[in-house]
Amino acid sequence: MITYNRLWETLKKKKISQYKLINVYGISTGQLDRLRKNESVSTNTLDKLCDILNCSLCDIAEYKKMDKPTEQ
Protein backbone atom coordinates (compact mmCIF):
# COMPACT_ATOMS: atom_id res chain seq x y z
CA MET A 1 0.00 0.00 0.00
CA ILE A 2 1.24 3.46 -0.84
CA THR A 3 0.71 6.02 1.91
CA TYR A 4 1.04 9.78 1.65
CA ASN A 5 1.60 10.67 5.31
CA ARG A 6 5.00 12.06 4.40
CA LEU A 7 3.34 14.56 2.05
CA TRP A 8 1.62 16.32 4.95
CA GLU A 9 4.88 16.44 6.91
CA THR A 10 6.75 17.85 3.90
CA LEU A 11 4.07 20.46 3.28
CA LYS A 12 4.41 21.59 6.89
CA LYS A 13 8.22 21.75 6.65
CA LYS A 14 8.04 23.74 3.41
CA LYS A 15 5.27 25.97 4.84
CA ILE A 16 2.94 25.33 1.91
CA SER A 17 -0.75 25.04 2.75
CA GLN A 18 -3.36 22.93 1.01
CA TYR A 19 -5.07 26.21 0.13
CA LYS A 20 -1.94 27.29 -1.74
CA LEU A 21 -1.70 23.92 -3.51
CA ILE A 22 -5.25 24.41 -4.77
CA ASN A 23 -5.31 28.12 -5.56
CA VAL A 24 -1.73 28.83 -6.62
CA TYR A 25 -0.48 25.53 -8.03
CA GLY A 26 -3.73 24.10 -9.43
CA ILE A 27 -3.84 20.83 -7.50
CA SER A 28 -7.50 19.76 -7.43
CA THR A 29 -9.42 19.20 -4.23
CA GLY A 30 -10.25 15.73 -5.54
CA GLN A 31 -6.56 14.85 -5.81
CA LEU A 32 -5.92 16.12 -2.28
CA ASP A 33 -8.86 14.08 -1.00
CA ARG A 34 -7.47 10.92 -2.65
CA LEU A 35 -4.05 11.66 -1.13
CA ARG A 36 -5.63 12.10 2.31
CA LYS A 37 -7.34 8.72 1.96
CA ASN A 38 -4.19 7.04 0.58
CA GLU A 39 -6.05 6.25 -2.62
CA SER A 40 -4.69 5.98 -6.14
CA VAL A 41 -3.32 9.16 -7.74
CA SER A 42 -1.56 9.64 -11.05
CA THR A 43 2.19 9.79 -11.42
CA ASN A 44 1.59 13.18 -13.05
CA THR A 45 0.17 14.46 -9.75
CA LEU A 46 3.10 13.02 -7.80
CA ASP A 47 5.54 14.58 -10.27
CA LYS A 48 3.83 17.95 -9.93
CA LEU A 49 3.93 17.78 -6.12
CA CYS A 50 7.63 16.91 -6.15
CA ASP A 51 8.25 19.88 -8.44
CA ILE A 52 6.21 22.26 -6.27
CA LEU A 53 7.88 21.08 -3.06
CA ASN A 54 11.33 20.70 -4.61
CA CYS A 55 11.61 17.22 -3.13
CA SER A 56 11.86 13.59 -4.16
CA LEU A 57 9.10 11.01 -4.24
CA CYS A 58 10.24 9.43 -0.97
CA ASP A 59 9.51 12.78 0.74
CA ILE A 60 5.80 12.52 -0.10
CA ALA A 61 5.02 8.80 -0.47
CA GLU A 62 5.94 5.56 1.24
CA TYR A 63 5.28 1.91 0.43
CA LYS A 64 4.01 -0.19 3.33
CA LYS A 65 3.62 -3.90 2.82
CA MET A 66 0.20 -5.19 3.76
CA ASP A 67 -0.13 -8.47 5.62
CA LYS A 68 -1.81 -11.09 3.49
CA PRO A 69 -4.76 -12.90 5.07
CA THR A 70 -3.97 -16.44 6.07
CA GLU A 71 -5.59 -19.23 4.09
CA GLN A 72 -7.88 -21.56 6.03
Coordinates of all heavy atoms in Angstrom, one line a residue:
M1 N 0.8 -1.2 0.0 CA 0.0 0.0 0.0 C 0.9 1.2 0.0 O 1.9 1.3 0.7 CB -0.9 0.0 1.2 CG -1.6 1.3 1.5 SD -2.6 1.2 3.0 CE -3.9 2.3 2.5
I2 N 0.5 2.2 -0.8 CA 1.2 3.5 -0.8 C 0.5 4.4 0.1 O -0.7 4.6 0.0 CB 1.3 4.1 -2.3 CG1 1.9 3.1 -3.3 CG2 2.0 5.4 -2.3 CD1 3.3 2.8 -3.1
T3 N 1.3 5.0 1.0 CA 0.7 6.0 1.9 C 1.3 7.4 1.6 O 2.5 7.5 1.2 CB 0.9 5.6 3.4 OG1 2.3 5.6 3.7 CG2 0.3 4.3 3.7
Y4 N 0.6 8.4 1.9 CA 1.0 9.8 1.7 C 1.2 10.6 2.9 O 1.1 11.8 2.9 CB 0.1 10.5 0.7 CG 0.0 9.7 -0.6 CD1 -1.1 8.9 -0.9 CD2 1.0 9.8 -1.5 CE1 -1.1 8.2 -2.1 CE2 1.0 9.1 -2.7 CZ -0.1 8.3 -3.0 OH -0.1 7.6 -4.2
N5 N 1.4 10.0 4.1 CA 1.6 10.7 5.3 C 2.8 11.6 5.2 O 2.8 12.7 5.8 CB 1.8 9.7 6.5 CG 0.5 8.8 6.7 OD1 -0.6 9.2 6.4 ND2 0.7 7.6 7.2
R6 N 3.8 11.2 4.5 CA 5.0 12.1 4.4 C 4.7 13.4 3.7 O 5.4 14.4 3.9 CB 6.1 11.3 3.7 CG 6.7 10.2 4.5 CD 7.8 9.5 3.8 NE 8.3 8.4 4.6 CZ 9.3 7.6 4.2 NH1 9.9 7.8 3.0 NH2 9.8 6.7 5.1
L7 N 3.7 13.3 2.8 CA 3.3 14.6 2.1 C 3.0 15.7 3.0 O 3.4 16.8 2.9 CB 2.2 14.3 1.1 CG 1.5 15.5 0.5 CD1 2.5 16.3 -0.4 CD2 0.3 15.1 -0.3
W8 N 2.1 15.3 4.0 CA 1.6 16.3 5.0 C 2.8 16.9 5.8 O 2.8 18.1 6.1 CB 0.5 15.7 5.8 CG -0.5 15.0 4.9 CD1 -0.7 13.6 4.9 CD2 -1.3 15.5 3.8 NE1 -1.6 13.3 3.9 CE2 -2.0 14.5 3.2 CE3 -1.4 16.8 3.3 CZ2 -2.8 14.6 2.2 CZ3 -2.3 17.0 2.3 CH2 -3.0 15.9 1.7
E9 N 3.7 16.0 6.1 CA 4.9 16.4 6.9 C 5.7 17.4 6.1 O 6.2 18.4 6.5 CB 5.7 15.2 7.3 CG 5.0 14.3 8.3 CD 5.7 13.0 8.5 OE1 6.8 12.8 8.0 OE2 5.1 12.1 9.1
T10 N 5.9 17.0 4.8 CA 6.8 17.8 3.9 C 6.1 19.2 3.6 O 6.8 20.2 3.6 CB 7.0 17.1 2.6 OG1 7.7 15.9 2.9 CG2 7.9 17.9 1.6
L11 N 4.8 19.2 3.5 CA 4.1 20.5 3.3 C 4.3 21.4 4.5 O 4.5 22.6 4.3 CB 2.6 20.2 3.1 CG 2.1 19.7 1.7 CD1 0.6 19.3 1.8 CD2 2.3 20.8 0.7
K12 N 4.2 20.8 5.7 CA 4.4 21.6 6.9 C 5.8 22.1 7.0 O 6.0 23.3 7.3 CB 4.1 20.7 8.1 CG 4.0 21.5 9.4 CD 3.5 20.5 10.5 CE 3.2 21.3 11.7 NZ 2.7 20.4 12.8
K13 N 6.8 21.3 6.6 CA 8.2 21.8 6.7 C 8.5 22.9 5.7 O 9.2 23.8 5.9 CB 9.2 20.6 6.4 CG 9.3 19.6 7.5 CD 10.2 18.5 7.0 CE 10.2 17.3 8.0 NZ 10.9 16.2 7.6
K14 N 7.8 22.8 4.5 CA 8.0 23.7 3.4 C 7.1 25.0 3.6 O 7.2 25.9 2.8 CB 7.8 23.1 2.0 CG 8.7 21.9 1.7 CD 10.0 22.3 1.3 CE 10.8 21.1 0.9 NZ 12.0 21.4 0.1
K15 N 6.2 24.9 4.6 CA 5.3 26.0 4.8 C 4.4 26.3 3.6 O 4.2 27.4 3.2 CB 6.0 27.2 5.3 CG 6.7 27.0 6.6 CD 7.4 28.2 7.2 CE 8.1 27.8 8.5 NZ 8.9 28.8 9.0
I16 N 3.9 25.2 3.0 CA 2.9 25.3 1.9 C 1.6 24.7 2.4 O 1.6 23.6 2.8 CB 3.5 24.6 0.6 CG1 4.7 25.3 0.2 CG2 2.4 24.6 -0.5 CD1 5.4 24.7 -1.1
S17 N 0.6 25.5 2.3 CA -0.8 25.0 2.7 C -1.5 24.3 1.6 O -1.2 24.5 0.4 CB -1.6 26.2 3.2 OG -1.9 27.1 2.1
Q18 N -2.5 23.6 2.0 CA -3.4 22.9 1.0 C -4.1 24.0 0.2 O -4.3 23.8 -1.0 CB -4.4 22.0 1.7 CG -3.7 20.8 2.3 CD -4.7 19.9 3.0 OE1 -5.7 19.5 2.4 NE2 -4.4 19.5 4.2
Y19 N -4.4 25.1 0.8 CA -5.1 26.2 0.1 C -4.2 26.7 -1.0 O -4.6 26.9 -2.1 CB -5.3 27.4 1.1 CG -5.9 28.6 0.5 CD1 -7.3 28.7 0.3 CD2 -5.1 29.6 0.0 CE1 -7.9 29.8 -0.3 CE2 -5.7 30.7 -0.5 CZ -7.0 30.8 -0.7 OH -7.6 32.0 -1.3
K20 N -2.9 26.8 -0.7 CA -1.9 27.3 -1.7 C -1.8 26.2 -2.9 O -1.7 26.6 -4.0 CB -0.6 27.6 -1.1 CG 0.4 28.3 -2.0 CD 1.6 28.8 -1.2 CE 2.5 29.6 -2.1 NZ 3.6 30.2 -1.4
L21 N -1.8 25.0 -2.5 CA -1.7 23.9 -3.5 C -2.9 24.0 -4.5 O -2.7 23.9 -5.7 CB -1.7 22.5 -2.9 CG -0.4 22.0 -2.2 CD1 -0.7 20.7 -1.6 CD2 0.7 22.0 -3.2
I22 N -4.0 24.3 -4.0 CA -5.2 24.4 -4.8 C -5.3 25.7 -5.6 O -5.4 25.7 -6.8 CB -6.5 24.3 -3.9 CG1 -6.6 22.9 -3.2 CG2 -7.8 24.6 -4.7 CD1 -7.6 22.8 -2.1
N23 N -5.1 26.8 -4.9 CA -5.3 28.1 -5.6 C -4.1 28.7 -6.3 O -4.3 29.5 -7.2 CB -5.8 29.1 -4.5 CG -7.2 28.7 -4.0 OD1 -8.1 28.7 -4.8 ND2 -7.3 28.4 -2.8
V24 N -2.9 28.3 -5.9 CA -1.7 28.8 -6.6 C -1.2 27.8 -7.6 O -0.8 28.2 -8.7 CB -0.6 29.2 -5.6 CG1 0.6 29.7 -6.3 CG2 -1.2 30.4 -4.7
Y25 N -1.1 26.5 -7.2 CA -0.5 25.5 -8.0 C -1.4 24.7 -8.8 O -1.0 23.8 -9.6 CB 0.4 24.7 -7.2 CG 1.5 25.4 -6.5 CD1 1.5 25.7 -5.2 CD2 2.6 25.9 -7.3 CE1 2.6 26.4 -4.6 CE2 3.7 26.6 -6.7 CZ 3.6 26.8 -5.4 OH 4.7 27.5 -4.8
G26 N -2.7 24.8 -8.6 CA -3.7 24.1 -9.4 C -3.9 22.6 -9.1 O -4.4 21.9 -10.0
I27 N -3.6 22.2 -7.9 CA -3.8 20.8 -7.5 C -5.3 20.8 -7.1 O -5.8 21.6 -6.4 CB -3.0 20.4 -6.3 CG1 -1.5 20.5 -6.6 CG2 -3.3 19.0 -5.8 CD1 -1.0 19.6 -7.6
S28 N -6.1 19.8 -7.7 CA -7.5 19.8 -7.4 C -7.8 19.3 -6.0 O -7.0 18.5 -5.4 CB -8.2 18.9 -8.5 OG -7.9 17.5 -8.2
T29 N -9.0 19.7 -5.5 CA -9.4 19.2 -4.2 C -9.6 17.7 -4.3 O -9.4 17.0 -3.2 CB -10.7 19.9 -3.8 OG1 -11.7 19.8 -4.8 CG2 -10.5 21.4 -3.5
G30 N -10.1 17.2 -5.4 CA -10.3 15.7 -5.5 C -9.0 15.0 -5.4 O -8.9 13.9 -4.7
Q31 N -7.9 15.5 -6.0 CA -6.6 14.8 -5.8 C -6.1 14.9 -4.3 O -5.6 13.9 -3.8 CB -5.5 15.5 -6.7 CG -5.7 15.3 -8.1 CD -5.3 13.8 -8.5 OE1 -4.8 13.1 -7.8 NE2 -5.6 13.5 -9.8
L32 N -6.3 16.0 -3.7 CA -5.9 16.1 -2.3 C -6.7 15.2 -1.4 O -6.2 14.6 -0.5 CB -6.1 17.5 -1.8 CG -5.0 18.5 -2.3 CD1 -5.3 19.9 -1.8 CD2 -3.6 18.1 -1.8
D33 N -8.0 15.0 -1.7 CA -8.9 14.1 -1.0 C -8.4 12.6 -1.2 O -8.3 11.9 -0.2 CB -10.3 14.2 -1.5 CG -11.3 13.4 -0.6 OD1 -11.2 13.6 0.6 OD2 -12.1 12.7 -1.1
R34 N -8.0 12.3 -2.4 CA -7.5 10.9 -2.6 C -6.2 10.7 -1.9 O -5.9 9.7 -1.4 CB -7.3 10.7 -4.1 CG -8.6 10.4 -4.8 CD -8.5 9.9 -6.2 NE -8.1 10.9 -7.2 CZ -8.9 11.8 -7.7 NH1 -10.2 11.8 -7.3 NH2 -8.5 12.7 -8.5
L35 N -5.3 11.7 -1.9 CA -4.0 11.7 -1.1 C -4.3 11.5 0.4 O -3.6 10.7 1.0 CB -3.2 12.9 -1.4 CG -2.6 13.0 -2.8 CD1 -2.2 14.4 -3.1 CD2 -1.4 12.1 -2.9
R36 N -5.3 12.2 0.9 CA -5.6 12.1 2.3 C -6.1 10.7 2.7 O -5.8 10.2 3.8 CB -6.8 13.1 2.7 CG -6.3 14.3 3.3 CD -7.5 15.2 3.8 NE -7.4 16.5 3.2 CZ -8.0 16.9 2.1 NH1 -8.8 16.1 1.5 NH2 -7.9 18.1 1.6
K37 N -6.8 10.1 1.7 CA -7.3 8.7 2.0 C -6.4 7.6 1.5 O -6.7 6.4 1.5 CB -8.7 8.6 1.2 CG -9.7 9.5 1.8 CD -11.0 9.4 0.9 CE -12.1 10.3 1.4 NZ -13.3 10.3 0.5
N38 N -5.2 8.0 1.1 CA -4.2 7.0 0.6 C -4.7 6.2 -0.6 O -4.5 5.0 -0.7 CB -3.7 6.1 1.7 CG -2.9 6.9 2.7 OD1 -2.1 7.7 2.4 ND2 -3.1 6.6 4.0
E39 N -5.5 6.9 -1.4 CA -6.0 6.2 -2.6 C -5.1 6.5 -3.8 O -4.2 7.2 -3.7 CB -7.5 6.8 -2.9 CG -8.5 6.4 -1.8 CD -9.8 7.0 -2.1 OE1 -10.0 7.8 -3.0 OE2 -10.8 6.6 -1.4
S40 N -5.5 5.9 -4.9 CA -4.7 6.0 -6.1 C -4.7 7.4 -6.7 O -5.7 8.0 -6.8 CB -5.3 5.0 -7.2 OG -4.5 5.1 -8.4
V41 N -3.5 7.9 -7.0 CA -3.3 9.2 -7.7 C -2.4 8.9 -8.9 O -1.6 8.0 -8.9 CB -2.8 10.3 -6.8 CG1 -3.8 10.6 -5.7 CG2 -1.5 9.9 -6.2
S42 N -2.4 9.8 -9.9 CA -1.6 9.6 -11.1 C -0.1 10.0 -10.8 O 0.2 10.8 -9.8 CB -2.1 10.5 -12.2 OG -1.8 11.9 -11.9
T43 N 0.8 9.4 -11.5 CA 2.2 9.8 -11.4 C 2.4 11.3 -11.8 O 3.3 11.9 -11.3 CB 3.1 8.9 -12.3 OG1 2.6 8.9 -13.6 CG2 3.1 7.5 -11.7
N44 N 1.5 11.8 -12.7 CA 1.6 13.2 -13.0 C 1.4 14.1 -11.8 O 2.1 15.1 -11.6 CB 0.5 13.5 -14.1 CG 0.6 14.9 -14.6 OD1 1.7 15.4 -15.0 ND2 -0.5 15.6 -14.7
T45 N 0.4 13.7 -11.0 CA 0.2 14.5 -9.8 C 1.4 14.4 -8.8 O 1.8 15.4 -8.2 CB -1.1 13.9 -9.0 OG1 -2.2 14.1 -9.9 CG2 -1.3 14.6 -7.7
L46 N 1.9 13.2 -8.7 CA 3.1 13.0 -7.8 C 4.3 13.8 -8.3 O 5.0 14.5 -7.6 CB 3.5 11.5 -7.7 CG 2.4 10.7 -7.0 CD1 2.8 9.2 -7.1 CD2 2.1 11.1 -5.6
D47 N 4.5 13.8 -9.6 CA 5.5 14.6 -10.3 C 5.4 16.1 -10.0 O 6.3 16.8 -9.6 CB 5.6 14.3 -11.8 CG 6.7 15.0 -12.5 OD1 7.8 14.9 -12.1 OD2 6.3 15.8 -13.4
K48 N 4.1 16.5 -10.1 CA 3.8 18.0 -9.9 C 4.1 18.4 -8.5 O 4.7 19.4 -8.2 CB 2.4 18.2 -10.3 CG 2.0 19.7 -10.4 CD 0.6 19.9 -11.0 CE 0.3 21.4 -11.1 NZ -1.0 21.6 -11.7
L49 N 3.7 17.5 -7.5 CA 3.9 17.8 -6.1 C 5.4 17.8 -5.8 O 5.9 18.7 -5.1 CB 3.2 16.7 -5.2 CG 1.7 16.9 -5.2 CD1 1.1 15.6 -4.5 CD2 1.3 18.1 -4.4
C50 N 6.2 16.9 -6.4 CA 7.6 16.9 -6.2 C 8.3 18.2 -6.7 O 9.1 18.8 -6.1 CB 8.3 15.7 -6.8 SG 8.0 14.1 -5.9
D51 N 7.8 18.6 -7.8 CA 8.3 19.9 -8.4 C 7.9 21.1 -7.6 O 8.7 21.9 -7.3 CB 7.7 20.0 -9.8 CG 8.3 21.2 -10.6 OD1 9.5 21.3 -10.6 OD2 7.5 22.0 -11.2
I52 N 6.7 21.1 -7.1 CA 6.2 22.3 -6.3 C 7.0 22.3 -5.0 O 7.4 23.4 -4.5 CB 4.7 22.1 -5.9 CG1 3.9 22.3 -7.2 CG2 4.3 23.1 -4.8 CD1 2.4 21.8 -7.1
L53 N 7.2 21.2 -4.4 CA 7.9 21.1 -3.1 C 9.4 21.0 -3.2 O 10.1 20.9 -2.1 CB 7.3 19.9 -2.3 CG 5.8 20.0 -1.9 CD1 5.3 18.7 -1.4 CD2 5.6 21.1 -0.9
N54 N 9.9 20.9 -4.4 CA 11.3 20.7 -4.6 C 11.9 19.6 -3.7 O 12.8 19.7 -2.9 CB 12.1 22.0 -4.3 CG 13.5 21.9 -4.8 OD1 13.8 21.3 -5.8 ND2 14.4 22.7 -4.1
C55 N 11.3 18.4 -3.9 CA 11.6 17.2 -3.1 C 11.6 16.0 -4.0 O 11.2 16.0 -5.2 CB 10.7 17.1 -1.9 SG 9.0 16.6 -2.4
S56 N 11.9 14.9 -3.4 CA 11.9 13.6 -4.2 C 10.6 12.8 -3.7 O 10.0 13.2 -2.7 CB 13.1 12.8 -3.9 OG 13.2 12.4 -2.6
L57 N 10.3 11.8 -4.5 CA 9.1 11.0 -4.2 C 9.1 10.4 -2.8 O 8.0 10.4 -2.2 CB 9.0 9.9 -5.3 CG 7.7 9.1 -5.3 CD1 6.5 10.0 -5.4 CD2 7.7 8.0 -6.4
C58 N 10.2 10.0 -2.3 CA 10.2 9.4 -1.0 C 9.9 10.5 0.1 O 9.6 10.1 1.3 CB 11.6 8.8 -0.7 SG 13.0 9.9 -0.6
D59 N 9.9 11.7 -0.2 CA 9.5 12.8 0.7 C 8.0 13.0 0.8 O 7.5 13.6 1.7 CB 10.1 14.1 0.4 CG 11.6 14.1 0.5 OD1 12.2 13.5 1.4 OD2 12.3 14.7 -0.4
I60 N 7.3 12.4 -0.1 CA 5.8 12.5 -0.1 C 5.0 11.2 -0.1 O 3.9 11.2 0.2 CB 5.3 13.4 -1.3 CG1 5.6 12.8 -2.6 CG2 5.8 14.8 -1.2 CD1 5.0 13.5 -3.8
A61 N 5.7 10.1 -0.4 CA 5.0 8.8 -0.5 C 5.9 7.7 0.1 O 7.1 7.8 0.2 CB 4.7 8.4 -1.9
E62 N 5.2 6.7 0.6 CA 5.9 5.6 1.2 C 5.2 4.3 1.0 O 3.9 4.3 1.0 CB 6.0 5.8 2.7 CG 6.7 4.7 3.5 CD 6.7 4.9 5.0 OE1 5.9 5.7 5.5 OE2 7.6 4.3 5.7
Y63 N 5.9 3.2 0.6 CA 5.3 1.9 0.4 C 5.3 1.2 1.7 O 6.3 1.0 2.4 CB 6.0 1.1 -0.6 CG 5.6 -0.3 -0.7 CD1 4.3 -0.6 -1.3 CD2 6.3 -1.4 -0.2 CE1 3.9 -1.9 -1.4 CE2 5.8 -2.7 -0.2 CZ 4.6 -2.9 -0.8 OH 4.1 -4.2 -0.9
K64 N 4.1 0.7 2.1 CA 4.0 -0.2 3.3 C 3.4 -1.5 2.9 O 2.3 -1.5 2.3 CB 3.1 0.5 4.4 CG 3.8 1.7 5.0 CD 3.0 2.2 6.1 CE 3.6 3.4 6.8 NZ 2.9 3.9 7.9
K65 N 4.1 -2.6 3.2 CA 3.6 -3.9 2.8 C 2.4 -4.3 3.7 O 2.5 -4.1 4.9 CB 4.7 -4.9 3.0 CG 4.4 -6.3 2.5 CD 5.6 -7.2 2.4 CE 5.2 -8.5 1.8 NZ 6.3 -9.2 1.3
M66 N 1.4 -4.8 3.0 CA 0.2 -5.2 3.8 C 0.3 -6.7 4.1 O 0.8 -7.5 3.3 CB -1.1 -4.9 2.9 CG -1.3 -3.5 2.5 SD -1.6 -2.4 3.9 CE -3.2 -3.1 4.5
D67 N -0.1 -7.0 5.3 CA -0.1 -8.5 5.6 C -1.2 -9.2 4.8 O -2.3 -8.7 4.7 CB -0.4 -8.6 7.1 CG 0.7 -8.1 8.0 OD1 1.9 -8.2 7.5 OD2 0.4 -7.7 9.1
K68 N -0.8 -10.3 4.2 CA -1.8 -11.1 3.5 C -2.6 -11.9 4.4 O -2.1 -12.5 5.4 CB -1.1 -12.0 2.5 CG -0.4 -11.3 1.4 CD 0.2 -12.3 0.4 CE 0.9 -11.5 -0.7 NZ 1.5 -12.4 -1.7
P69 N -3.9 -12.0 4.2 CA -4.8 -12.9 5.1 C -4.3 -14.4 5.0 O -3.9 -14.8 3.9 CB -6.2 -12.7 4.5 CG -6.1 -12.0 3.2 CD -4.7 -11.4 3.1
T70 N -4.4 -15.0 6.1 CA -4.0 -16.4 6.1 C -5.1 -17.3 5.5 O -6.3 -17.0 5.6 CB -3.7 -16.9 7.5 OG1 -4.8 -16.7 8.3 CG2 -2.5 -16.2 8.1
E71 N -4.6 -18.3 4.7 CA -5.6 -19.2 4.1 C -6.1 -20.2 5.1 O -5.3 -20.7 6.0 CB -4.9 -20.0 2.9 CG -4.6 -19.0 1.8 CD -4.1 -19.8 0.6 OE1 -4.4 -20.9 0.4 OE2 -3.3 -19.2 -0.1
Q72 N -7.3 -20.6 5.1 CA -7.9 -21.6 6.0 C -8.2 -22.8 5.4 O -8.5 -23.0 4.3 CB -9.1 -21.0 6.7 CG -8.7 -19.8 7.5 CD -9.9 -19.2 8.3 OE1 -10.9 -19.9 8.5 NE2 -9.7 -18.0 8.8

